Amino acid sequence: MLGSNTLRCLRLFARSSYLPYRQLHKLRRLTGRNTVYSQVTMLTPRLPRSIGVRWLSDLPSHIKITLPALSPTMEVGSIKGWKLKEGDKLNEGDVLAEIETDKAVMEFSCPDHIAEGYLAKIIAPEGTKDIKLGTHICIMVEDEEDVGSFSNYVAEPEETPVPVSPDLGSIVPPTKQPTQDKTTDIRSIETDDRLKVSPYARKLAAERGVDLRSLKGTGPGGRVIANDITQPIKTPVYTGPKTEAPLPTYTDIEMSGMRRTIAKRLLESKQNIPHYYLQIAVSMDTAIQLRQDFNNISPDLPKLSLNDFVIKAAATALRIVPECNSSFHDQYYIRQHHNVDICVAVATDGGLLTPIVFTADKKGLREINRDVAELAEKARLGNLQPQEFQGGTFTISNLGMYGVSSFSAIINPPQSCILAVGSTQEIVVPDEEGCYKTAKVMNVQMSCDHRVVDGAVGAKWLKEFKRFMECPAAMLQ
Amino acid sequence: MLGSILNLPRNAKVLRSLSFDPFYNLALEDWLFQNIDFTNNPLVLFSQNSPSVILGSFQNPWKEANIKYLKRNGIKLARRSSGGGTVYHDLGNCNVSILTTKWEYDRKGNLEKICKVLRDNFFISCQVNKKLDIVYEGFKISGTASRIARGKAYHHFTILFSSDVYALTESLQSPLQDIIKTNATPSVPSPVINLSSVNEHLNADSFYSVYSDAVLRECRDACCYEIPADMHEIVIHSHKLSSWDRVYRDTPKFRISINPNIELVIEKGRVTTLEGNASHILEPLLKTRLCYQEFVPKYEEIVENFSECYSENNTLGFNTLIQNLP
């Protein structure tokens, strides 16, 4: 014999899945409880997810109502007013609450598959803001006498939407947007492309709490259709030595936050900045000799590298030609920086980083060397702090150690220049007596932003840079 | 509709209200929304209001509008049934309301068609932004709100032609905005521009004539109607919309911090709770409506009885509130 509770649940089921009463009476006549359950569990999958019927708890059978998508583009809603109180009768089509979303006021009425009932408990009170789709907002019961059992009902924590209390004490100011945002947690880059989803698929997704973005669309033009939600594409299971599917000819690697940021910023730079390129060949004999001498004088200190000379020469040249130490700001002014902060491009496993050597013009070679080594190490370990790579007024990128003889680099906005340093090559040049000698020559190419730096200005800077590289003693002045 | 510049099916109808009373126009919109079936019969309602401030359905009038300025300048204050923020209307502004079934509800499409009309006829290029505002060179020229109920929907929006920008700024700056804490929908202020400063031939009348011509030309069975300003049922409904109950009592519950020690909790336009150190002194204020006639006499009573706590300089911070009571 079935208990009254079970009968009530069955009746609810019958009504919602439109079982004729004949079948229901058939179930009633069954004696074994197990048989009943197995029949009923067969029925369960057909119910839409926004109904949850509790069997074995101590509360009477009830229906939890969740926030549905009231319009195709709705993602969150705020409850502005409940039109019914707890204990009120709800007829089909009655308005339960007024919901505001996206400047539209919408009426949320009794879902169609619930014929009638009573509002037992309001979980999200009036004034609750920004409730996500699928959050439980109220409970309905079939019989009036069950309303009382929900008076002390407390929803589970993860289901309860948090009402924003009017006591908004301190408002946290929005964090300042970093200028060089190469942090790895930038995943929420705004995209303007709308999801192509059919209306019925959206409705199903909202009811089941499925994230539309995670589905692969099989409809026309990659559209997500209802089938994709009810029967999502599953990974194929190996079933034995049958005809094997051909191996794919590619692998899709998901872009990390850093890669996406690099992609976005450099594309923006190449598209928006009018780049032009100046090249000069620098004779490196003096610099190489000087470097050797310094290293021999202090063998216990870390070895100086040619890159340190390049950084120092570039910084000193920037003091003489400050136009190249400027940034383009809007249409109305160019910011000329007083400090020379040089970004040094470092290649890491995750991508390209440009940590900054601050006030490089005031530092000695040893100090620059130490800074660069420290920053490169931190970059490789992923320990760079934001202030160590955001900012900077000039960038140097050196691919000489890879044997690249010369290349052109892309400017890092909002800076206006970048120096691309190639490898030092030994070439044959004519000498003073009409014979030939060998010379070590390094090719550098500077990319400049023509909005800020004119050709002559850039050329002047390169000339100074070459002077300081070929005669490092001039930097002592 | 191939080749159509308007987002309306062939049998659309254009209505123009001859009234400049904001309450009448809101009542007209509500009446049309409740009584007309929009299946195969979408409507476009075009109206203009005399200087008035229109609140969104779930907003707080004390927080959104400068009630003292409105009273002094005879600017009306109304509450509409759709959501969103507070706007200032005057005769240099027009309101367009597109009433359809909920399946034909397409806000972005409606606004893009307006942009097209402006572009083709008046050579003004605007864009529709994410908040569904129409923006010209970064300045807002139109705001949107909508309502969906019982299978019907309306999307209404404004267009600024030659509005009084000074009055707009003054009316929407409430001195009480920092001391009121509420869950009500906040307004998002934006810089605005008048379109007549971009193209001097553009004003509400020229826009209406271009728009109604376009409808007549492109939609079959389309016609334009003018609605008189004295339809009896609508006048009755407009009295309800202009009542204290609709404009002030329908505000969601909120708190006013007069000073760090005194907080008033206002529900349904009445003071229901007093919080803070001085709540025993302020007891007479309980159950009064937050309006001049009821609040001020009780307040003056308190000042008389407790004159030792009060002096001319120490009004406990009620001055700003009292100046801004309706």
Side-chain angles (χ1 to χ4, degrees):
Chain A
M1 199 51 194
L2 299 173
S4 61
N5 212 26
T6 326
L7 266 178
R8 234 184 284 154
C9 296
L10 277 174
R11 234 180 283 141
L12 265 169
F13 257 133
R15 252 185 236 163
S16 35
S17 47
Y18 301 104
L19 263 187
Y21 270 102
R22 248 180 303 134
Q23 280 199 19
L24 180 60
H25 287 303
K26 231 197 239 175
L27 282 170
R28 278 176 97 175
R29 273 185 254 126
L30 292 166
T31 43
R33 249 194 120 126
N34 289 335
T35 324
V36 172
Y37 277 154
S38 63
Q39 291 274 19
V40 166
T41 45
M42 198 178 69
L43 295 169
T44 318
R46 265 193 250 145
L47 275 186
R49 286 272 210 94
S50 68
I51 296 183
V53 182
R54 305 270 275 255
W55 292 100
L56 305 169
S57 68
D58 44 2
L59 290 167
S61 66
H62 58 276
I63 297 170
K64 280 187 181 153
I65 297 190
T66 59
L67 186 69
L70 296 168
S71 80
T73 52
M74 177 174 166
E75 287 173 20
V76 293
S78 309
I79 300 208
K80 288 300 178 177
W82 285 96
K83 297 288 171 192
L84 297 172
K85 296 189 299 297
E86 288 174 7
D88 281 351
K89 186 164 199 280
L90 197 75
N91 296 311
E92 201 174 335
D94 272 358
V95 177
L96 271 176
E98 269 198 318
I99 299 194
E100 190 182 25
T101 167
D102 201 21
K103 294 197 282 191
V105 171
M106 306 208 230
E107 288 182 346
F108 171 40
S109 37
C110 194
D112 292 332
H113 43 253
I114 301 169
E116 52 189 44
Y118 293 83
L119 183 61
K121 182 79 182 173
I122 293 176
I123 296 179
E126 199 167 297
T128 317
K129 276 190 172 157
D130 296 334
I131 306 175
K132 295 217 179 94
L133 296 182
T135 314
H136 287 147
I137 51 174
C138 67
I139 295 182
M140 272 191 52
V141 289
E142 207 199 303
D143 294 320
E144 198 170 3
E145 56 263 21
D146 293 336
V147 172
S149 5
F150 290 92
S151 50
N152 295 324
Y153 180 81
V154 173
E156 276 127 53
E158 62 273 359
E159 294 171 347
T160 321
V162 178
V164 178
S165 80
D167 281 346
L168 299 168
S170 59
I171 301 168
V172 179
T175 51
K176 185 161 160 262
Q177 193 69 12
T179 44
Q180 277 192 18
D181 39 355
K182 293 217 176 145
T183 49
T184 47
D185 59 344
I186 301 174
R187 298 192 76 86
S188 57
I189 296 170
E190 283 179 345
T191 50
D192 274 334
D193 38 325
R194 291 161 71 197
L195 292 168
K196 284 199 206 155
V197 189
S198 79
Y200 184 49
R202 266 190 215 273
K203 177 164 173 273
L204 283 179
E207 280 169 357
R208 295 182 188 199
V210 174
D211 183 13
L212 287 170
R213 272 178 250 266
S214 66
L215 293 173
K216 278 227 158 89
T218 56
R223 206 161 186 243
V224 175
I225 53 178
N227 249 1
D228 298 327
I229 296 175
T230 51
Q231 292 146 32
I233 302 167
K234 293 207 176 70
T235 50
V237 176
Y238 182 64
T239 47
K242 292 196 181 152
T243 52
E244 287 167 25
L247 290 169
T249 55
Y250 56 85
T251 319
D252 284 332
I253 302 168
E254 203 191 317
M255 280 170 97
S256 69
M258 190 199 273
R259 176 90 350 235
R260 269 190 275 195
T261 314
I262 294 175
K264 178 178 166 221
R265 281 177 52 79
L266 291 179
L267 174 67
E268 205 182 285
S269 168
K270 208 69 210 262
Q271 285 181 333
N272 293 334
I273 299 181
H275 283 67
Y276 71 92
Y277 309 95
L278 298 169
Q279 191 168 340
I280 207 165
V282 178
S283 158
M284 292 296 278
D285 299 278
T286 331
I288 290 175
Q289 187 58 52
L290 192 59
R291 171 181 169 251
Q292 251 178 1
D293 292 341
F294 281 155
N295 285 336
N296 293 339
I297 291 172
S298 343
D300 44 332
L301 291 173
K303 281 200 168 9
L304 286 174
S305 84
L306 278 178
N307 206 34
D308 305 322
F309 283 81
V310 167
I311 295 174
K312 182 70 190 170
T316 323
L318 283 173
R319 255 214 325 261
I320 299 181
V321 184
E323 287 86 348
C324 294
N325 196 37
S326 310
S327 308
F328 184 81
H329 267 261
D330 309 326
Q331 289 172 322
Y332 297 111
Y333 59 96
I334 290 171
R335 178 166 292 180
Q336 207 172 78
H337 299 281
H338 298 308
N339 299 328
V340 175
D341 299 330
I342 296 202
C343 302
V344 180
V346 173
T348 64
D349 291 331
L352 173 67
L353 281 174
T354 52
I356 306 170
V357 177
F358 291 98
T359 56
D361 56 329
K362 298 196 168 71
K363 290 185 174 163
L365 284 170
R366 288 267 171 218
E367 217 181 323
I368 291 176
N369 179 284
R370 203 179 45 230
D371 276 352
V372 171
E374 215 177 273
L375 290 168
E377 192 53 39
K378 273 196 190 171
R380 286 198 189 96
L381 294 171
N383 291 342
L384 274 180
Q385 301 296 311
Q387 66 270 18
E388 287 171 330
F389 61 85
Q390 285 165 7
T393 58
F394 189 90
T395 307
I396 297 181
S397 178
N398 191 336
L399 290 179
M401 66 284 249
Y402 297 101
V404 173
S405 54
S406 92
F407 69 104
S408 52
I410 303 179
I411 298 173
N412 253 333
Q415 297 172 10
S416 52
C417 302
I418 180 168
L419 186 70
V421 177
S423 62
T424 310
Q425 292 166 322
E426 189 131 9
I427 60 170
V428 174
V429 294
D431 78 351
E432 300 84 22
E433 282 112 51
C435 218
Y436 296 99
K437 63 171 182 177
T438 57
K440 297 202 177 73
V441 164
M442 177 176 81
N443 274 315
V444 303
Q445 203 174 67
M446 179 155 105
S447 316
C448 303
D449 180 347
H450 211 303
R451 299 173 301 183
V452 180
V453 177
D454 288 341
V457 175
K460 182 166 177 226
W461 185 90
L462 265 185
K463 186 165 144 223
E464 296 297 325
F465 173 76
K466 180 181 160 99
R467 184 162 73 91
F468 291 132
M469 283 303 291
E470 290 179 350
C471 176
M475 293 197 273
L476 289 170
Q477 293 175 312
Chain B
M1 284 242 39
L2 293 173
S4 165
I5 64 165
L6 296 166
N7 192 30
L8 301 166
R10 300 206 137 187
N11 43 5
K13 293 184 182 55
V14 177
L15 307 172
R16 185 175 191 177
S17 166
L18 294 176
S19 167
F20 294 144
D21 178 16
F23 303 109
Y24 186 92
N25 289 328
L26 286 171
L28 174 62
E29 193 179 39
D30 279 345
W31 186 91
L32 291 170
F33 188 66
Q34 279 160 22
N35 294 295
I36 297 195
D37 180 13
F38 303 122
T39 350
N40 299 320
N41 178 30
L43 294 180
V44 178
L45 173 65
F46 195 93
S47 60
Q48 287 175 270
N49 291 329
S50 56
S52 46
V53 167
I54 317 282
L55 300 166
S57 185
F58 307 109
Q59 291 205 294
N60 186 316
W62 292 275
K63 183 164 182 151
E64 303 292 341
N66 185 340
I67 295 178
K68 177 173 165 191
Y69 182 84
L70 297 191
K71 276 203 292 197
R72 206 147 28 102
N73 292 282
I75 300 176
K76 300 177 188 168
L77 181 59
R79 184 189 292 270
R80 57 177 191 265
S81 325
S82 58
T86 310
V87 281
Y88 173 83
H89 287 178
D90 63 13
L91 292 172
N93 170 83
C94 83
N95 309 312
V96 182
S97 200
I98 299 188
L99 303 108
T100 58
T101 60
K102 77 175 186 190
W103 294 276
E104 285 161 9
Y105 172 71
D106 175 14
R107 296 182 292 181
K108 191 141 198 224
N110 293 343
L111 295 173
E112 279 175 357
K113 300 313 185 225
I114 297 283
C115 287
K116 194 158 198 291
V117 168
L118 288 174
R119 199 166 40 237
D120 295 343
N121 297 285
F122 299 101
F123 314 109
I124 293 177
S125 59
C126 327
Q127 286 85 39
V128 182
N129 75 6
K130 280 209 178 88
K131 277 167 59 210
L132 297 177
D133 297 331
I134 304 184
V135 176
Y136 174 77
E137 310 237 319
F139 289 97
K140 177 172 166 175
I141 55 154
S142 159
T144 270
S146 55
R147 184 172 155 86
I148 306 179
R150 285 171 227 124
K152 301 186 203 173
Y154 66 74
H155 165 216
H156 57 197
F157 52 94
T158 60
I159 308 182
L160 276 177
F161 298 114
S162 50
S163 207
D164 182 351
V165 182
Y166 176 75
L168 189 154
T169 324
E170 286 291 313
S171 322
L172 301 180
Q173 274 273 74
S174 165
L176 299 174
Q177 68 194 24
D178 294 323
I179 59 175
I180 292 183
K181 296 186 193 120
T182 175
N183 265 345
T185 320
S187 284
V188 179
S190 315
V192 295
I193 194 176
N194 278 318
L195 283 179
S196 60
S197 63
V198 181
N199 180 338
E200 71 235 8
H201 300 292
L202 178 55
N203 55 40
D205 290 316
S206 60
F207 180 78
Y208 175 72
S209 55
V210 162
Y211 193 78
S212 50
D213 280 345
V215 175
L216 290 174
R217 238 181 301 130
E218 299 203 355
C219 305
R220 194 177 46 170
D221 296 344
C223 27
C224 299
Y225 294 107
E226 287 190 339
I227 303 200
D230 54 4
M231 289 176 63
H232 184 65
E233 267 187 61
I234 304 202
V235 169
I236 305 277
H237 190 37
S238 72
H239 290 322
K240 281 201 210 118
L241 292 182
S242 58
S243 64
W244 160 276
D245 283 354
R246 176 66 188 149
V247 180
Y248 296 101
R249 189 201 59 175
D250 284 353
T251 312
K253 176 173 162 185
F254 65 100
R255 291 168 175 266
I256 308 183
S257 329
I258 308 283
N259 61 44
N261 290 329
I262 302 179
E263 272 202 2
L264 308 178
V265 177
I266 321 283
E267 275 178 84
K268 296 211 165 73
R270 285 180 193 273
V271 180
T272 50
T273 324
L274 296 162
E275 284 179 12
N277 302 347
S279 17
H280 54 287
I281 303 180
L282 299 170
E283 263 206 62
L285 287 175
L286 280 176
K287 298 254 174 41
T288 56
R289 287 206 273 186
L290 205 63
C291 67
Y292 197 89
Q293 290 130 314
E294 288 189 27
F295 194 88
V296 173
K298 297 277 164 130
Y299 174 71
E300 297 195 330
E301 212 182 277
I302 297 173
V303 171
E304 269 177 46
N305 293 341
F306 291 95
S307 52
E308 65 269 16
C309 306
Y310 283 71
S311 64
E312 261 195 40
N313 297 330
N314 178 19
T315 51
L316 287 189
F318 274 93
N319 263 348
T320 329
L321 176 61
I322 287 176
Q323 283 168 8
N324 282 279
L325 288 177

